[in-house]
Amino acid sequence: MDWLFLILAGIFEMMGVAMINKLHKDRNWQAVALLFAGFGLSFFFLALAMKSLPMGTAYAVWTGIGASGGAILGMLVYGEPRNVARIISIAVVLGSAVGLKLIG
């Protein structure tokens, strides 16, 4: 269950980051509410996951999902550049988080 909580934390982190971008484009209360909900739920699920997962592993996976997911969302939804260097960088971030799990 702890890994499910950690994945949910990462997904809500992505939501929060996407809402920051939306807030820059549309200043409305829905974007603000979703921003706070996304980050609030992200921290909530991260805290649940860290009850049984080591802090270093949990934090690395959480930030990996958030950073990689944010970059992927930027490319797919917001028209950010898609190039080999960005995709390799995302793979390195995800690979590092998986590596911490495997050696931890």
Side-chain angles (χ1 to χ4, degrees):
M1 199 66 171
D2 47 355
W3 285 100
L4 176 62
F5 290 150
L6 190 55
I7 291 167
L8 287 171
I11 290 169
F12 283 115
E13 178 79 6
M14 290 169 43
M15 178 182 145
V17 169
M19 290 304 104
I20 290 173
N21 194 43
K22 182 169 176 50
L23 191 59
H24 285 296
K25 296 175 187 213
D26 305 326
R27 296 226 175 232
N28 59 45
W29 68 268
Q30 292 98 341
V32 173
L34 289 172
L35 182 145
F36 281 106
F39 285 127
L41 288 167
S42 179
F43 282 113
F44 172 75
F45 284 113
L46 177 62
L48 290 178
M50 287 177 63
K51 286 184 177 181
S52 57
L53 293 174
M55 179 190 69
T57 301
Y59 185 73
V61 171
W62 175 67
T63 57
I65 293 170
S68 300
I72 292 168
L73 275 176
M75 290 188 289
L76 296 178
V77 178
Y78 297 107
E80 293 180 4
R82 299 176 194 181
N83 56 50
V84 174
R86 285 177 66 102
I87 294 168
I88 290 171
S89 297
I90 291 168
V92 168
V93 169
L94 290 175
S96 298
V98 170
L100 279 173
K101 164 59 179 138
L102 293 176
I103 63 172

